Amino acid sequence: MGDPSANPALTARRELSPRRNTTHAESAADLAREQLAHFSLSPDAEPGRSLLALAEQLYGAHASAHELWRLSLEGLDGIDRSDRIAWFNAKRFVCFQLAKILDTLQNPLRRIYQSLGAADSPARGPYPLFDNVSAIFSATPVVARTATYLYACTEWVEDAFRGRELLHQIYSRLLNPTSICLANHIVDLEAGPLAREYFAWNFNSGMAAIDSTLAHLLGNGDIVLASRNVYGGTYQLLHDWYAKRSNLDIAVHWFDGCSLEDFTAGLRQVREDQAQRLRDGKQIYVYLESPCNPHGYVLDVPAICRAAHSAGINVICDSTVATPFLQPVLRRADPAERPDFVIHSYTKDLTGSGRTTAGVVIARNERMFIPKGDSAAGLGVDGKPRTWRWDETLFWNVYYVKGAFLDSDKAFDVIDGMRTLELRMLQKCINTLVLARALATHPRINVHCAGVANDPNHLLTTRLMYLGLPAPLFTIDFEPGGAEGPWLSIEAFKRFFDGLEPAFGLQVSLGQTNTVVLCPGMTSHSELSAQAQTEAAITPTTIRIAVGDDDPRALLAHFAAAAKLAIEPDAPGFLAAFPTAGQIDRLYESVYLAVHHRHVKSRRVLTA
C-alpha cells in the first residue's frame, strides 16, 4: 500500500473504500473497481457500469470535501462575515445535493430489497436506510431511538470499535446522534469561539457525570481539595465512597471561602497534612462548585485555576447553577484560568422544565477522546505542550466501559429546553434580586445572596458573573445573632415552611420554571454530619430558595401570608417589619428595567 501521508487526496479517497485498511488502489478509478469486486459485481455490464461511474465520482468528491475542510480551518479567521455566509450556504446546499443522490438511490434499493423476500417479515420491521435520508433536514434534532446501528462493511466497523469511524455509532450506550447533537451544542454555549478546542460527553444524570470525572482522574490514595459548599450528593460521594479505605482511600479536604487566598490557605494546609502521601507520589485534585449549593455563592474560579495549574494540579468545576449564560468558565482568554473539567447537571436550568435527569462533562479535545492506539499533542495541566495517549482520555478510561450514557429522548428534552435558556435565566436573576433584596430589609431574616450589596460575596459576583447578576439560588434563615436566644421555635418554623405551598414548590430540586424551596439540613445536605452542616453554614432554619420564572411580587405576598399564620403568633410584630406592597412593586420595576437595560447594552452588534 502506498504511503497515505504522501498523497492527502488518496488518503481521503481510501476512507470511502470497503477495503480502506487493506486496499492497494492508487486512484479513484482503481478504488471504484475494487469496490465493485468486493461486492461481486462486474464493471462491464449494467448496473455495474453505472455504479462504477458513480463510485468513482464519489471518491473524487470525498477528496474535494477534505480539501474544503482544510481550507475552511486554515482560512476562516482571515475572511470577512459576508464570505463566511457565502461559504456556509454553498456548503449547506451541497448537503442537500448529496442527500438527493441518496434519495434517488433509495427506490431501486427498496425494489431489490423487496425482491430478496426480506420485506415481508414483520419481525424484521422496515429497513430504515430507505426512510432516514429525509430526516437529515429535520428542523429539530431527530430522536434516534435505537440501541444499535447498521454496519457498512467489516473494515468500517472494525475502525468504529477503535474510535476511527464515528459515522458507525455501533451502540447507543456509547454514541447516539441525538446525544452527540446535544454534546456539540453545550460545547458551543460553554466555550463559544474556543469551541473547536473542547469536547463533551453526556451522562444519564449530573451525579453520573461527577462520578465518572472523579473515577477517570483519581487513583488509590490520591487527595481531593474541595470547596466547602458543594451539593450534598457530591459530599456523600467523596466522603462515603472515594474516601472509604476499602474503595480508593482518597484523602478529602475542604477549604472555606470563595477567594484565591482562601484556596491557597487550604492548599497549603493539605500539603502539610498529606506530606507523606505526596512523598509517595499521590496527586492532589481540586473540586469546585461555583456558584455553590445551597447559598449560590461564586468562587474566584479563574484565580483558583491559575494557582492550581501553576502547581500542576487538575481542577474540576461544577458550574450547574450558573449555566454558561451567567458564567462561561471556558471562555477565559488565558487557558490557565479555565478548569480542566467542567460539569453541568442538565437536569436543572439548562433543561429548565424539571422533566428529565441528565449531565455532561466538558474538557479539552485531547483529554476526552483520541482513537485507540493513537496519541495527540495538547497542553498539560501546567499549560506546557505535552503528548496525551488514547488510554488517558475520559472516553476510553470511563465512558466506554461504564455505560452511564444519555438516551436520545432525554437528550432531545435538554436540547428543547436550552432554546429558552437566556430568557429564563435573565428573568430568574431579576426575580432573585427582588426576592433577596426585599427579604433582606427584614431585621429578623438573614439573607445569604450575592445580589444583596452588603453580602461578602457581592463584589466577587459582580466581577465574574454576567452583568454581575447573582445565581438564581440563595438561602435565608431565622437564626439569632450573637448571644441572643432563639426567637422562633422550630415548631413555628416548620408550620411556616409547610405553608409556603403552593406559591413556593416544596420540591427537592432546582432550576425549574417554578420557584422551589427546601430545608438543606433535612434534604439535599442531610448526608452531612451536624458538624459539617455547621461548617457549611446550614442551620435548622436554613431555607434554600431556587428561584423560578414566577412573579416575585406574588411570591413575597404569599411569604407574608404564610408568616402571618405561622410566625406572627410566635413572634408578634414580625409582619410589621415586612416591606409593603408598594415598596415591593417599586423594587421590582426598578430591578426589571435596570437589568434589561444592561442586558440590551451588552449584546454584541453583528457587523460585516
Side-chain angles (χ1 to χ4, degrees):
M1 188 185 298
D3 179 13
S5 62
N7 189 340
L10 178 61
T11 302
R13 291 186 180 107
R14 284 176 173 172
E15 283 186 357
L16 289 190
S17 170
R19 292 185 52 198
R20 55 165 56 159
N21 297 322
T22 56
T23 183
H24 293 278
E26 297 289 335
S27 67
D30 290 343
L31 285 164
R33 285 184 170 274
E34 187 178 66
Q35 179 173 324
L36 263 63
H38 182 77
F39 291 105
S40 304
L41 283 173
S42 169
D44 300 321
E46 295 293 1
R49 274 195 295 266
S50 296
L51 278 170
L52 181 68
L54 177 60
E56 187 172 343
Q57 292 177 62
L58 289 174
Y59 282 115
H62 193 60
S64 297
H66 268 266
E67 181 64 9
L68 276 174
W69 185 16
R70 183 188 67 79
L71 291 171
S72 296
L73 292 179
E74 292 179 0
L76 188 61
D77 294 337
I79 63 175
D80 64 27
R81 183 169 299 278
S82 60
D83 281 342
R84 294 182 194 184
I85 293 172
W87 279 36
F88 173 80
N89 282 299
K91 291 177 183 177
R92 181 182 68 91
F93 185 69
V94 169
C95 292
F96 277 88
Q97 291 176 304
L98 291 172
K100 185 60 181 174
I101 294 172
L102 291 174
D103 183 61
T104 302
L105 286 171
Q106 282 186 119
N107 283 335
L109 190 62
R110 183 187 295 275
R111 291 290 299 275
I112 296 169
Y113 176 69
Q114 290 167 343
S115 73
L116 294 173
D120 358 355
S121 170
R124 183 179 182 91
Y127 201 72
L129 186 63
F130 301 135
D131 306 307
N132 281 354
V133 174
S134 59
I136 295 172
F137 304 107
S138 169
T140 58
V142 175
V143 180
R145 288 177 174 159
T146 183
T148 188
Y149 302 83
L150 296 173
Y151 295 159
C153 58
T154 54
E155 293 195 12
W156 284 38
V157 77
E158 179 185 20
D159 278 351
F161 272 89
R162 298 168 65 196
R164 297 176 186 275
E165 180 48 76
L166 297 182
L167 181 66
H168 263 348
Q169 301 199 341
I170 306 172
Y171 195 42
S172 280
R173 177 169 62 80
L174 304 175
L175 300 172
N176 175 284
T178 321
S179 184
I180 292 299
C181 185
L182 170 60
N184 290 334
H185 188 43
I186 189 62
V187 168
D188 287 341
L189 289 182
E190 184 66 77
L194 301 169
R196 71 182 73 173
E197 300 176 21
Y198 287 91
F199 205 97
W201 292 116
N202 296 322
F203 294 84
N204 204 39
S205 69
M207 281 306 302
I210 293 169
D211 178 49
S212 294
T213 307
L214 294 172
H216 170 56
L217 294 173
L218 299 179
N220 186 267
D222 279 339
I223 304 152
V224 171
L225 174 59
S227 50
R228 173 73 66 185
N229 294 109
V230 297
Y231 169 55
T234 304
Y235 177 94
Q236 186 177 27
L237 180 66
L238 285 168
H239 186 271
D240 294 353
W241 199 93
Y242 281 95
K244 191 175 181 180
R245 187 177 294 274
S246 58
N247 292 335
L248 283 186
D249 190 28
I250 299 300
V252 180
H253 292 257
W254 310 93
F255 71 90
D256 294 297
C258 304
S259 69
L260 173 62
E261 292 72 25
D262 297 324
F263 167 73
T264 53
L267 182 59
R268 185 166 53 249
Q269 189 63 52
V270 164
R271 283 175 167 151
E272 292 178 10
D273 294 346
Q274 300 298 332
Q276 185 57 54
R277 291 197 188 212
L278 293 172
R279 282 194 293 270
D280 291 340
K282 306 304 180 183
Q283 302 296 313
I284 298 174
Y285 294 89
V286 171
Y287 188 96
L288 308 176
E289 186 174 306
S290 177
C292 69
N293 184 354
H295 306 301
Y297 284 159
V298 174
L299 277 66
D300 194 345
V301 174
I304 292 172
C305 287
R306 192 168 56 247
H309 290 152
S310 68
I313 297 173
N314 280 278
V315 179
I316 307 163
C317 181
D318 183 340
S319 194
T320 294
V321 174
T323 77
F325 174 71
L326 286 178
Q327 185 183 239
V329 291
L330 293 180
R331 297 197 189 197
R332 305 291 297 187
D334 183 356
E337 295 183 344
R338 307 174 206 158
D340 299 281
F341 293 86
V342 174
I343 294 169
H344 287 286
S345 172
Y346 285 135
T347 311
K348 313 303 191 299
D349 275 304
L350 282 168
T351 302
S353 62
R355 68 187 181 205
T356 196
T357 56
V360 65
V361 180
I362 310 167
R364 291 187 63 86
N365 295 328
E366 63 271 15
R367 303 201 64 179
M368 295 295 273
F369 177 78
I370 299 171
K372 185 178 286 188
D374 286 1
S375 59
L379 297 177
V381 178
D382 57 4
K384 298 176 182 177
R386 63 154 286 184
T387 299
W388 295 91
R389 301 189 315 272
W390 67 275
D391 55 357
E392 295 178 283
T393 63
L394 188 142
F395 179 83
W396 295 108
N397 195 31
V398 175
Y399 194 78
Y400 185 73
V401 294
K402 284 210 168 187
F405 68 101
L406 183 65
D407 66 74
S408 60
D409 290 272
K410 287 187 173 185
F412 183 85
D413 274 347
V414 179
I415 293 169
D416 199 40
M418 286 164 67
R419 296 177 189 273
T420 59
L421 176 65
E422 180 175 314
L423 295 173
R424 289 184 288 104
M425 289 300 287
L426 197 66
Q427 186 61 52
K428 287 186 176 194
C429 292
I430 290 169
N431 295 349
T432 301
L433 288 169
V434 174
L435 288 171
R437 290 176 181 178
L439 294 174
T441 64
H442 199 294
R444 287 196 161 183
I445 302 176
N446 304 314
V447 176
H448 310 279
C449 176
V452 177
N454 63 356
D455 189 274
N457 195 237
H458 179 72
L459 291 178
L460 197 56
T461 297
T462 301
R463 177 163 62 86
L464 293 178
M465 298 282 271
Y466 174 64
L467 302 181
L469 294 172
L473 182 77
F474 68 99
T475 60
I476 63 171
D477 66 61
F478 301 91
E479 301 299 316
E484 182 186 345
W487 65 269
L488 181 66
S489 68
I490 196 65
E491 291 78 14
F493 169 76
K494 289 180 179 179
R495 288 198 306 272
F496 165 72
F497 181 82
D498 291 345
L500 290 176
E501 275 275 14
F504 296 83
L506 305 189
Q507 296 168 252
V508 185
S509 187
L510 58 90
Q512 300 181 175
T513 53
N514 60 313
T515 297
V516 302
V517 293
L518 56 72
C519 297
M522 304 176 194
T523 55
S524 63
H525 290 68
S526 58
E527 297 89 354
L528 280 66
S529 65
Q531 179 182 344
Q533 287 189 10
T534 299
E535 291 168 342
I538 296 172
T539 73
T541 63
T542 294
I543 297 176
R544 188 192 75 183
I545 303 176
V547 183
D549 298 319
D550 19 26
D551 193 323
R553 296 168 294 183
L555 294 173
L556 288 166
H558 188 91
F559 188 101
K564 180 179 180 180
L565 291 173
I567 296 179
E568 188 70 20
D570 209 56
F574 180 84
L575 280 181
F578 207 78
T580 66
Q583 290 172 324
I584 292 171
D585 282 342
R586 289 189 292 274
L587 174 63
Y588 181 67
E589 181 179 356
S590 171
V591 170
Y592 185 92
L593 293 174
V595 171
H596 275 282
H597 179 73
R598 285 154 50 208
H599 176 59
V600 169
K601 296 284 284 186
S602 73
R603 294 292 86 181
R604 181 166 60 99
V605 177
L606 299 180
T607 57

